[in-house]
Amino acid sequence: MICLVCSSVDLHRSHKVSYIDDELGDSNKSTLSQCISSATNQKKAISSALQEAQDNKASLQQQSENALKEITKMKENLVAMVIVRCDDLAAEVREAEDKGRRELERRERELKISLKKLDAFHCLAEELSLK
């Protein structure tokens, strides 16, 4: 026990010593009890809010992961669609090139035949004109 004025009861100098239990009194004990009860309730409320924040954080993380998975899947589908379309377009270009090449080769053969006929006619006409 410590005296409010002296440093300890052993060195007490004959003035009034107040004991802690007597000083608190019933009204102070009641007030202290109410403070403890209020602190307990606040602790529960804060713990509940903390748990709710942690749950929201976990939910947000899960939603984010799901959204990222969906975006990745959509990206893969779009890339696959673009690849298929590019392959289709490449096939169309090759087909058009083949068709154009065949047409040009046919026309080239016709022109060669026409040129041979014209050369033959030219040679014949020159021979006839020289006689």
Side-chain angles (χ1 to χ4, degrees), residues 11-103:
L11 301 173
H12 181 65
R13 297 186 185 100
S14 70
H15 52 264
K16 183 177 177 187
V17 175
S18 298
Y19 291 98
I20 293 175
D21 287 342
D22 294 339
E23 285 296 314
L24 285 177
D26 290 335
S27 66
N28 289 338
K29 285 181 184 180
S30 175
T31 302
L32 183 59
S33 178
Q34 288 173 352
C35 288
I36 291 171
S37 176
S38 175
T40 301
N41 291 338
Q42 289 178 2
K43 182 180 173 183
K44 287 178 184 178
I46 290 172
S47 294
S48 175
L50 177 62
Q51 183 62 47
E52 185 178 344
Q54 290 171 341
D55 292 345
N56 288 340
K57 181 180 169 185
S59 175
L60 178 64
Q61 182 178 1
Q62 185 63 42
Q63 289 173 357
S64 175
E65 287 173 5
N66 291 343
L68 290 174
K69 285 178 186 177
E70 188 176 328
I71 289 169
T72 300
K73 186 176 180 180
M74 186 181 299
K75 177 188 76 172
E76 290 170 356
N77 289 340
L78 288 172
V79 167
M81 286 180 1
V82 168
I83 289 171
V84 167
R85 183 64 182 136
C86 286
D87 290 346
D88 291 346
L89 289 172
E92 288 178 25
V93 167
R94 284 191 293 273
E95 184 179 320
E97 187 265 338
D98 285 345
K99 183 178 177 182
R101 183 181 38 76
R102 285 192 304 271
E103 179 61 29

